[in-house]
Amino acid sequence: MSAALAVFASGSGTNLQSLLETFGADASTDDAAHVALVVSDRSGIGALDRAERAGVPTAVLAPKAFEDRDTFAAALLETLEGHAIEMIALAGYLKLVPEAVVQAFRGRIVNIHPGPLPAFGGPGMYGYGHHVHEAVLESGVRVSGPTIHFVDERYDTGPIIAQWPVPVLADDDPESLAVRVLKHEHRLYPAVVRAVARGDVRLEDDGRVDYAAVGSAEGPGFALVGIDAALESIDSRWRAR
Ligand code: GRF
């Protein structure tokens, strides 16, 4: 059975695109998920165009248009129920997801962040405007990379599922780093969404992430696989000297 996935986006939607290209919009797919809905808080954005081109229904729900947080949350929940949504992937969604939605989807709602968490996260540290990449460059860390986590009631604090190391180069600026990190986002996010949709990666009641059902090649070490590959390439360069 393929899980009906809603992707929440506020921008250009390149992560949405990678999910669309991986899973498609067809509920009868053999894959673990299909994109059944795209939700945005604003109209006129690239993500909505991408959804329409892929034949995926869209819903624009601007928090401002509602009387208060509760009515916004109720409308969001009703929209998700109307499309029989079973899992949510935030992909460049800039609003805080209402508590009622987080609670209804706990363990089935994930987010991608364009930098290492928990160090480079929180309100204001979002990908657009390169705030995260600027902070990474200012800090002097030599490794950045995307983090994928379960969503809780706050920005960027939910249990981490996967990270991928992306080296910070000496001549990087926020734009060049963003481009390099984004490429890895597009690889990592579909793999993690698939693992969560399959139930191979689970959020425990105590907040721990259970990877028991994932093979070692893709498992807790989503990050370790990357580090291995990076070390392998560095080792082979050294050996070739
Ligand atoms: C990505 O860098 C994502 O990590 C962040 O916002 C950006 C969205 O890009 N949360 P796109 O809309 O998927 O192209």
Side-chain angles (χ1 to χ4, degrees):
M1 264 295 279
S2 161
L5 176 71
V7 181
F8 284 29
S10 304
S12 72
T14 63
N15 276 290
L16 164 65
Q17 190 69 42
S18 79
L19 294 168
L20 283 169
E21 283 166 16
T22 304
F23 298 114
D26 183 357
S28 62
T29 172
D30 289 339
D31 211 327
H34 63 281
V35 183
L37 178 67
V38 170
V39 173
S40 179
D41 60 312
R42 59 197 73 190
S43 50
I45 56 164
L48 292 172
D49 296 339
R50 292 177 197 273
E52 273 153 30
R53 278 202 297 275
V56 175
T58 60
V60 177
L61 292 152
K64 277 197 308 249
F66 294 87
E67 211 171 291
D68 53 30
R69 289 290 290 171
D70 290 347
T71 45
F72 170 54
L76 207 45
L77 277 174
E78 198 182 297
T79 303
L80 296 170
E81 274 162 25
H83 291 267
I85 295 304
E86 297 166 289
M87 180 174 170
I88 299 172
L90 308 185
Y93 184 67
L94 297 179
K95 298 287 179 221
L96 193 63
V97 177
E99 274 180 29
V101 176
V102 172
Q103 280 155 16
F105 284 86
R106 197 177 301 281
R108 292 177 296 131
I109 174 167
V110 293
N111 179 43
I112 185 155
H113 183 77
L117 292 177
F120 298 96
M125 281 276 206
Y126 47 87
Y128 292 108
H130 302 310
H131 295 76
V132 176
H133 305 298
E134 275 163 20
V136 162
L137 289 172
E138 265 164 40
S139 77
V141 296
R142 303 316 331 160
V143 179
S144 189
T147 302
I148 297 164
H149 62 93
F150 284 112
V151 172
D152 66 8
E153 286 78 356
R154 288 173 294 156
Y155 280 112
D156 301 331
T157 54
I160 292 171
I161 306 169
Q163 295 182 300
W164 197 273
V166 176
V168 177
L169 303 182
D171 57 355
D172 263 336
D173 57 25
E175 285 71 31
S176 62
L177 184 56
V179 168
R180 198 153 357 90
V181 170
L182 202 54
K183 257 191 227 159
H184 290 277
E185 293 186 38
H186 297 159
R187 289 176 51 230
L188 194 57
Y189 209 17
V192 173
V193 167
R194 181 178 284 137
V196 173
R198 270 192 197 148
D200 287 352
V201 171
R202 286 196 207 98
L203 181 63
E204 300 285 332
D205 289 342
D206 63 5
R208 280 182 311 149
V209 178
D210 174 12
Y211 300 92
V214 197
S216 61
E218 321 168 68
F222 279 119
L224 295 181
V225 173
I227 290 167
D228 274 355
L231 288 177
E232 173 64 28
S233 76
I234 290 167
D235 282 352
S236 56
R237 247 183 293 153
W238 276 100
R239 278 197 297 271
R241 280 186 175 190

